[in-house]
């Protein structure tokens, strides 16, 4: 296993269909004024909002509501939330929703006591708040599985005016203090969003897995998580109320992106870089933007990481190697991935998301490139991959 690294994750997890019962005790650790961030109303329709508000009231908290945190949250909405938090002198932020609300809550928590421009400093310059700055604590009640935001420092914001979406991974001060993961809360997630979340999880694992050539425990963990996800995704798409499948998916999502399986790895993340730019232009669900470019992308870089792609084929997809070249084995693995994506009904082209050939120069321009896992992509490479994804 290569590298020297630190592993530290301060987020306390409560998991299971009764996990909301832990909220009351947790809230005792924080001040009286709670900023309750939530999205466009799903939590009101499915009754989770009422359950949470009842607990907050029972604890004697003052609730400051900030509704309407949209999917792929915008910079304008971030600025609005910072102002609400400042005006109401909030002590604690409770994020009630999916990855978007959780990401957004981190942006607010980092910014309330920050003197400069959060967008410029945190997101464009990729800096963290000063070490001595006060940061509001966050708790997360997760209603959708996918991003891993519940146990990481990631926060992705879209500057809608400039059609630019960018994420910053904050240091551990911005990780949620606790996260409540009730798989039953995900039952009402629309099918499209559930499938997008499933592919987001798969992509997070592959982004970390497809890098380096050494024998690394992290890769074995990744393979196990992928195998579990493949099985559970099939079951959950067939029956969204399958608790076993939904609970496995939720737990896999958290471990796919809480930094563990990236340890000792250089990692890739180019699918996400391209996907974020597609998202800024199409507003498609995050996981769909990743699905639409993944097959062309992996075919494009396969030769650079051939042994890993051949291993992926055999250990994750049970491809038989006898009588085949490494290229054939690796290619079969990518085909198996594609077959699974078709089976669960994921988009395989960016056209399905509303992207057009004319948008490709702008999507390329909005894609951050760097020396990634097995490819050192240039903007010309990104353009080629996008063309193959049309
Ligand atoms: O807004 P509401 O009405 O709540 O509806 C949401 C939203 O429309 C709905 N939803 C969520 N839970 C539901 C539900 N509807 C019914 N029942 C429920 N239980 O689903 C829609 C999507 O929610 P959203 O939070 O946007 O999805 P997701 O969790 O996929 O988050 C996407 C955002 O996370 C970022 C993405 O870029 C995107 O902005 N990411 C964050 C990462 C991180 N923190 O590490 C990493 C990821 O790669 C990703 O970039
Ligand atoms: Zn993602």
């Amino acid at each position: 296993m290569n590298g020297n690294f630190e592993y530290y994750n301060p987020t306390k997890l409560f998991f299971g269909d009764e996990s909301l019962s832990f909220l009351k005790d947790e809230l005792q650790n924080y001040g009286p004024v709670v900023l309750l961030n939530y999205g466009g109303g799903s939590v009101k329709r499915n009754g989770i909002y009422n359950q949470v508000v009842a607990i907050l009231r029972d604890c004697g908290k003052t609730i400051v509501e900030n509704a309407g945190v949209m999917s792929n949250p915008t910079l304008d909405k971030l600025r609005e939330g910072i102002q609400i938090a400042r005006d109401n002198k909030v002590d604690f932020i409770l994020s009630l929703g999916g990855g978007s609300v959780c990401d957004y809550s981190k942006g607010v928590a980092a910014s309330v006591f920050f003197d400069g421009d959060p967008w410029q400093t945190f997101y464009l310059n990729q800096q963290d708040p000063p070490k001595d700055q006060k940061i509001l604590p966050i708790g997360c009640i997760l209603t959708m599985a996918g991003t891993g935001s519940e146990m990481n420092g990631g926060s992705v914001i879209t500057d809608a005016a400039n059609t630019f979406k960018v994420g910053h991974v904050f240091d551990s001060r911005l990780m949620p203090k606790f996260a409540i993961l009730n798989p039953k809360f995900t039952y009402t997630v629309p099918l499209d969003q559930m499938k997008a979340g499933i592919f987001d999880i798969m992509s997070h694992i592959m982004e970390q897995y497809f890098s380096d050539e050494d024998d690394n425990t992290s890769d074995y963990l990744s393979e196990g998580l992928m195998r579990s996800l493949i099985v559970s995704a099939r079951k959950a798409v067939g029956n969204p109320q399958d608790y076993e499948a939904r609970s496995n998916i939720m737990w896999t999502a958290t471990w796919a992106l809480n930094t563990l399986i990236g340890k000792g790895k250089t990692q890739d993340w180019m699918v996400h870089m391209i996907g974020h730019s597609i998202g800024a232009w199409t507003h498609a669900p995050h996981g769909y933007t990743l699905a639409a470019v993944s097959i062309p992308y992996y075919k494009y870089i396969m030769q650079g990481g051939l042994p890993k792609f051949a291993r992926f084929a055999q250990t994750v997809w049970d491809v038989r190697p006898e009588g085949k070249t490494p290229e054939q084995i690796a290619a079969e693995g990518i085909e198996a991935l594609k077959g699974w994506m078709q089976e669960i009904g994921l988009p395989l082209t960016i056209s399905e998301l509303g992207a057009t050939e004319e948008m490709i120069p702008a999507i390329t321009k909005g894609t951050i490139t760097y020396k990634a896992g097995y490819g050192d992509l240039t903007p010309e490479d990104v353009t080629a991959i996008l063309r193959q994804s049309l």
Side-chain angles (χ1 to χ4, degrees):
M1 189 152 171
N2 285 336
N4 299 278
F5 55 80
E6 172 186 309
Y7 177 74
Y8 172 64
N9 196 315
T11 305
K12 191 195 288 190
L13 297 178
F14 299 100
F15 191 91
D17 60 351
E18 292 178 4
S19 51
L20 190 61
S21 63
F22 293 98
L23 179 62
K24 191 172 176 187
D25 275 355
E26 277 305 304
L27 287 173
Q28 315 298 334
N29 300 323
Y30 305 99
V33 185
V34 176
L35 178 67
L36 180 62
N37 289 333
Y38 59 95
S42 69
V43 292
K44 288 202 167 164
R45 290 190 294 276
N46 60 23
I48 302 171
Y49 169 90
N50 281 344
Q51 294 178 54
V52 170
V53 165
I55 296 169
L56 286 166
R57 291 214 177 105
D58 197 26
C59 294
K61 303 289 183 184
T62 302
I63 305 169
V64 178
E65 293 210 18
N66 180 21
V69 180
M70 64 290 284
S71 192
N72 308 316
T74 63
L75 178 56
D76 286 348
K77 183 68 185 173
L78 175 65
R79 295 200 196 284
E80 187 188 313
I82 296 166
Q83 201 53 51
I84 294 172
R86 284 179 180 157
D87 291 348
N88 291 281
K89 297 189 169 36
V90 306
D91 300 301
F92 181 71
I93 300 179
L94 191 57
S95 165
L96 177 57
S100 290
V101 183
C102 193
D103 280 18
Y104 173 87
S105 297
K106 293 171 197 169
V108 174
S111 307
V112 171
F113 298 100
F114 182 62
D115 287 334
D117 176 12
W119 175 245
Q120 185 66 44
T121 307
F122 304 148
Y123 296 92
L124 297 181
N125 297 351
Q126 295 288 316
Q127 290 167 6
D128 281 319
K131 287 291 166 215
D132 56 355
Q133 185 201 298
K134 189 174 166 193
I135 286 171
L136 284 175
I138 306 164
C140 167
I141 300 169
L142 195 66
T143 62
M144 153 148 183
T147 64
S149 186
E150 64 275 14
M151 203 185 187
N152 70 35
S155 170
V156 184
I157 299 295
T158 298
D159 177 2
N162 292 301
T163 328
F164 186 56
K165 181 176 184 183
V166 66
H168 176 56
V169 181
F170 284 104
D171 65 41
S172 57
R173 293 174 295 165
L174 269 306
M175 290 185 186
K177 299 294 171 206
F178 65 86
I180 291 177
L181 311 178
N182 181 342
K184 286 192 175 166
F185 286 177
T186 69
Y187 281 180
T188 53
V189 172
L191 191 63
D192 271 1
Q193 292 290 349
M194 177 176 90
K195 293 192 290 190
I198 286 169
F199 195 78
D200 193 22
I201 303 166
M202 190 69 179
S203 180
H204 293 159
I205 304 172
M206 294 192 293
E207 297 271 32
Q208 295 164 92
Y209 182 77
F210 287 121
S211 61
D212 309 318
E213 275 149 20
D214 61 318
D215 188 44
N216 185 327
T217 300
S218 294
D219 289 334
Y220 295 84
L221 293 170
S222 292
E223 286 160 355
L225 291 174
M226 284 189 275
R227 289 189 71 102
S228 169
L229 182 66
I230 291 161
V231 171
S232 294
R234 287 183 176 127
K235 290 185 187 163
V237 169
N239 174 15
Q241 307 235 334
D242 182 328
Y243 182 82
E244 195 172 66
R246 295 308 285 263
S247 60
N248 283 330
I249 291 170
M250 198 170 208
W251 193 232
T252 303
T254 303
W255 288 92
L257 195 51
N258 68 1
T259 80
L260 177 78
I261 63 166
K263 290 300 157 194
K265 305 271 311 174
T266 50
Q267 311 185 26
D268 189 332
W269 295 105
M270 271 314 302
V271 169
H272 271 68
M273 293 305 113
I274 302 172
H276 282 168
S277 193
I278 296 167
W281 282 90
T282 64
H283 308 292
H286 167 65
Y288 277 8
T289 67
L290 310 174
V293 292
S294 282
I295 299 299
Y297 175 74
Y298 287 122
K299 284 184 177 169
Y300 201 88
I301 66 156
M302 187 186 90
Q303 204 59 40
L306 199 55
K308 180 57 73 65
F309 279 96
R311 171 173 161 173
F312 172 72
Q314 291 170 85
T315 56
V316 179
W317 300 103
D318 297 323
V319 170
R320 303 292 310 169
E322 294 83 4
K324 295 172 193 160
T325 64
E327 282 83 359
Q328 286 170 327
I329 301 167
E332 273 190 43
I334 295 176
E335 280 309 306
L337 170 65
K338 186 178 168 185
W340 174 74
M341 291 168 73
Q342 285 169 324
E343 198 184 327
I344 59 176
L346 286 161
L348 290 167
T349 63
I350 59 174
S351 314
E352 291 164 75
L353 310 181
T356 60
E357 187 151 17
E358 293 70 48
M359 284 181 192
I360 287 183
I363 296 174
T364 301
K365 192 159 175 266
T367 301
I368 298 162
T369 51
Y370 48 82
K371 189 164 171 20
Y374 294 127
D376 190 358
L377 255 57
T378 62
E380 290 71 37
D381 295 319
V382 172
T383 297
I385 292 161
L386 287 167
R387 285 194 193 291
Q388 286 161 23
S389 309
L390 272 171

